[in-house]
Amino acid sequence: MIIGSHVSMSGKDMLLGSVKEALSYGANTFMFYTGAPQNTRRKAISELKVEEAKALMKENNIDLKNVVVHAPYIINLANTVKEETFELAVNFLKQELQRCQDIGTSILVLHPGSHVKAGEEVGLQQIIKGLNEVLKDTPYQGKIALETMAGKGSELGKTFEEINYLISHCDYPEKLGVCLDTCHIHDAGYDLSNFDAILDEFDRIIDLDRLLVVHLNDSKNVQGAHKDRHANLGLGEIGFDILNGIAHNERIKDVPKILETPYIDGKAPYKEEIDMLKNQEFRNIEV
């Protein structure tokens, strides 16, 4: 099982600190942002302690190809209402791909975007336009993993069909994959109780080979709520047994699973949740 969580990258140790945090959780992979997700301020790659981080990863059998970068939330390729927002999204995403290339990671998770009341078709076409602009000259050797979304507000990417539309209409489909978020697809209306059926549908519509990452999260909302509120494993509407089954599903055993569950009393729950998955036994960590 390739399992980890979102980790921070801050303080004097930067990416080295991210690796240390992941190891403290008993993880063998992790996901990080190359800077704050809500702004464009970025430290130079030379300040991130990348080589020290890679050395520690090698010592502890963390494979860099399984390490995930998440693009900042402020990137919205679907925006047609404000041209400057679209241009910022394109330019900043180009920079993020360059940073991933410089660090050596090969998976960048991206929220497809929100159409901001311009309509789904308009938004989808704008995302395709943005992806084409970003990917046409990129030095990035990895792939962008478009994340499945809950359908909150005007979010796009809420169905496998929408994700497939983006991939199949982009000029560079070989550069695109998918990040499947369990909370998001549950909130979008998918029934996770038979996950193999979900994988069959994914394979039929998109192609299972494009599944690059799984975000393993429970949901605070009922199926189809379109709200996107993550819950800790076993403490939401999906339930531990289903999520544990997904984590151990043989068909996606080589796909990194990343926890993005909420902190409890200001503390990360990931060590306990990873331990639960390793032992396949639920414990109520809120108690």
Side-chain angles (χ1 to χ4, degrees):
M1 182 171 56
I2 305 169
I3 186 72
S5 70
H6 166 252
V7 296
S8 61
M9 187 181 70
S10 59
K12 59 182 177 60
D13 273 349
M14 299 306 291
L15 189 58
L16 177 61
S18 301
V19 180
K20 291 177 179 177
E21 184 180 344
L23 291 172
S24 76
Y25 300 149
N28 55 10
T29 188
F30 59 94
M31 183 178 75
F32 69 102
Y33 293 85
T34 76
Q38 68 275 14
N39 63 51
T40 59
R41 292 193 296 274
R42 294 290 181 268
K43 287 182 179 291
I45 298 297
S46 59
E47 297 180 47
L48 302 188
K49 296 199 174 182
V50 172
E51 294 311 312
E52 296 94 325
K54 287 179 180 177
L56 186 58
M57 287 166 58
K58 189 174 182 180
E59 285 175 27
N60 290 276
N61 299 311
I62 294 179
D63 193 335
L64 186 60
K65 74 177 176 63
N66 294 325
V67 172
V68 180
V69 176
H70 201 303
Y73 301 133
I74 56 172
I75 292 175
N76 183 10
L77 291 178
N79 196 319
T80 60
V81 178
K82 292 186 177 179
E83 183 62 31
E84 63 272 22
T85 301
F86 176 75
E87 288 177 2
L88 179 144
V90 168
N91 293 329
F92 195 33
L93 186 53
K94 285 181 180 179
Q95 291 177 36
E96 285 294 296
L97 291 183
Q98 181 65 62
R99 287 169 70 79
C100 289
Q101 183 67 18
D102 293 342
I103 292 169
T105 56
S106 57
I107 304 171
L108 178 71
V109 171
L110 174 69
H111 292 181
S114 298
H115 61 73
V116 201
K117 298 183 180 179
E120 292 184 0
E121 183 59 34
V122 171
L124 290 168
Q125 295 305 324
Q126 189 78 338
I127 295 169
I128 293 163
K129 176 185 173 183
L131 288 172
N132 286 340
E133 287 191 31
V134 168
L135 293 172
K136 65 182 176 182
D137 297 315
T138 182
Y140 184 50
Q141 296 300 303
K143 293 183 179 180
I144 293 176
L146 299 173
E147 185 167 346
T148 57
M149 303 306 292
K152 179 178 65 177
S154 63
E155 281 179 343
L156 295 167
K158 60 188 177 296
T159 65
F160 296 164
E161 286 82 2
E162 284 185 359
I163 295 285
N164 181 64
Y165 185 88
L166 295 172
I167 293 171
S168 61
H169 286 78
C170 177
D171 293 342
Y172 309 94
E174 72 281 0
K175 288 286 188 181
L176 298 174
V178 181
C179 169
L180 188 151
D181 187 303
T182 56
C183 169
H184 292 177
I185 67 169
H186 166 87
D187 279 27
Y190 289 86
D191 179 4
L192 274 70
S193 63
N194 184 351
F195 190 65
D196 275 309
I198 293 282
L199 292 180
D200 290 342
E201 184 175 357
F202 187 101
D203 192 36
R204 177 176 58 81
I205 296 170
I206 299 174
D207 186 345
L208 202 51
D209 288 342
R210 289 196 184 274
L211 183 56
L212 304 180
V213 189
V214 170
H215 283 171
L216 199 67
N217 302 303
D218 213 325
S219 173
K220 291 183 178 179
N221 299 106
V222 296
Q223 181 185 338
H226 300 291
K227 287 188 177 178
D228 185 10
R229 294 177 68 226
H230 296 190
N232 294 95
L233 300 190
L235 298 178
E237 293 291 328
I238 300 172
F240 178 77
D241 289 344
I242 289 174
L243 293 166
N244 179 63
I246 293 170
H248 291 276
N249 189 295
E250 277 293 308
R251 295 169 68 184
I252 56 169
K253 63 182 175 63
D254 296 326
V255 177
K257 287 88 182 172
I258 301 292
L259 298 164
E260 300 175 305
T261 49
Y263 277 35
I264 297 174
D265 296 328
K267 294 173 63 177
Y270 305 129
K271 185 178 190 304
E272 291 79 8
E273 290 185 326
I274 289 171
D275 189 55
M276 280 195 282
L277 292 170
K278 286 179 178 178
N279 292 299
Q280 303 199 57
E281 184 178 1
F282 172 69
R283 296 196 316 274
N284 187 345
I285 56 177
E286 276 193 339
V287 175

